Amino acid sequence: APLKTMASEITPLNATAARSAYDIGDLEASKSFHNARSQGEAVEEHSSGGDFIKAIVFGGLDGILTSFAIVAGAAGGGMTPQVVLVLGFSNIFADALSMGVGEFLSSKAHNEWVLSERKREKWELDNYPEGEIQEMIDIYEERGMSKEDATIVINKMAKYSEFFVDVMMAEELQLQVPEEDHKWESMKEGLVMFLSFAAFGSLPLMGYVIIPTFFPELGEETLFTSACAVTGIVLFIMGCVKSMFSTTNWFVSGMETFMLGGACATLAYVIGQYVEEKTGAKV
């Protein structure tokens, strides 16, 4: 059914119609949804999948490019497939663990710092509210409000101290206050980073496992070709998936990730070839 027809029937189960209305520019559907929401008939749901998109994309890109760098170096240095597998999988999982732990610790440290800043802002508001209120009035004036309107707005918000402190964090310090379970969220981010790095990093190496098993007559050049093909396809798919959390066209996003990742992969191969030529190393 058209969105205009569905808009009057929006429920918490199909509240994503609000996003669909925006995507196609259907103003009437958007109005109908927000009217239903104000009457308690609908709940606007914003995508939460983007919370981990950075860890997935960053971990996946790092993993697959690290893995391909090993494969490219092996192709240039004439290493056997067995050596490639040993170096590849041991390096991928060690790096994945390092990346996951690093993501957890950095996220946790950032959240703890933000909370410490919030405590400071709360202390300043409790002990010198006039100064904090004036700072916020100045900020709102700088953003285009008249002094009279800014004074009214800030004084109204300042009546609710906990709420006002969060506003101060966002407006004055440009910091988002983390949730109470921020440590658990940091752990999930670290786990997502680990799994993404390990999963995507293993893909270029899978050809070195599958092809010799089912097609033993194929040579080592085929193994490297398969790694190149897998790397290119996965980079493009990652870009397409990334577009689901942005307004970028899926093909443009896919090609962007493919080209940037391909440039990194090409650089790794060229460096591997150069080092091999200069050292004459063979394994």
Side-chain angles (χ1 to χ4, degrees), residues 98-119:
S98 175
M99 292 287 289
V101 171
E103 178 70 16
F104 164 67
L105 292 177
S106 62
S107 177
K108 178 173 173 288
H110 174 75
N111 289 336
E112 289 174 346
W113 172 71
V114 172
L115 290 175
S116 71
E117 287 295 297
R118 189 186 188 283
K119 287 182 179 179

Side-chain angles (χ1 to χ4, degrees), residues 26 41-42 45 47 49 97 99 108 138 171 237:
D26 192 333
E41 298 174 7
E45 297 177 348
S47 174
L97 181 60
M99 292 287 289
K108 178 173 173 288
D138 293 342
E171 300 290 351
I237 292 175

Side-chain angles (χ1 to χ4, degrees), residues 10-224:
I10 293 175
T11 67
L13 293 177
N14 62 11
T16 52
R19 175 70 188 187
S20 299
Y22 165 76
D23 289 339
I24 65 174
D26 192 333
L27 182 59
E28 291 303 316
S30 179
K31 287 180 179 179
S32 297
F33 175 81
H34 284 85
N35 289 336
R37 182 189 180 197
S38 66
Q39 298 170 11
E41 298 174 7
V43 177
E44 186 169 5
E45 297 177 348
H46 293 271
S47 174
S48 60
D51 294 345
F52 300 112
I53 191 64
K54 177 184 175 183
I56 293 173
V57 173
F58 179 54
L61 281 174
D62 203 359
I64 196 169
L65 293 176
T66 298
S67 178
F68 183 77
I70 295 172
V71 173
M79 297 181 183
T80 65
Q82 291 79 8
V83 173
V84 174
L85 289 175
V86 171
L87 291 177
F89 281 113
S90 60
N91 186 75
I92 288 300
F93 282 94
D95 281 356
L97 181 60
S98 175
M99 292 287 289
V101 171
E103 178 70 16
F104 164 67
L105 292 177
S106 62
S107 177
K108 178 173 173 288
H110 174 75
N111 289 336
E112 289 174 346
W113 172 71
V114 172
L115 290 175
S116 71
E117 287 295 297
R118 189 186 188 283
K119 287 182 179 179
R120 180 178 63 81
E121 290 292 333
K122 181 66 167 62
W123 180 84
E124 291 177 349
L125 179 64
D126 291 340
N127 290 276
Y128 185 39
E130 297 83 2
E132 292 298 320
I133 289 173
Q134 187 58 52
E135 282 185 9
M136 291 295 293
I137 291 174
D138 293 342
I139 290 173
Y140 276 44
E141 279 190 87
E142 290 174 1
R143 296 187 180 182
M145 272 193 178
S146 67
K147 185 171 184 178
E148 181 182 358
D149 287 346
T151 301
I152 293 172
V153 169
I154 297 302
N155 279 308
K156 286 286 186 182
M157 289 193 293
K159 293 180 179 180
Y160 310 93
S161 61
E162 292 297 325
F163 165 74
F164 189 54
V165 171
D166 289 341
V167 174
M168 290 163 55
M169 291 291 293
E171 300 290 351
E172 185 180 341
L173 303 180
Q174 287 79 52
L175 294 175
Q176 182 68 39
V177 179
E179 300 293 337
E180 292 182 2
D181 61 344
H182 69 90
K183 291 183 180 179
W184 171 240
E185 291 298 315
S186 296
M187 288 183 64
K188 288 196 290 185
E189 290 176 11
L191 179 61
V192 169
M193 175 68 77
F194 168 79
L195 294 176
S196 179
F197 192 104
F200 285 100
S202 298
L203 293 177
L205 297 170
M206 294 310 296
Y208 282 77
V209 176
I210 296 173
I211 292 178
T213 301
F214 296 98
F215 307 99
E217 69 279 3
L218 297 179
E220 293 184 9
E221 290 185 0
T222 304
L223 301 180
F224 180 61

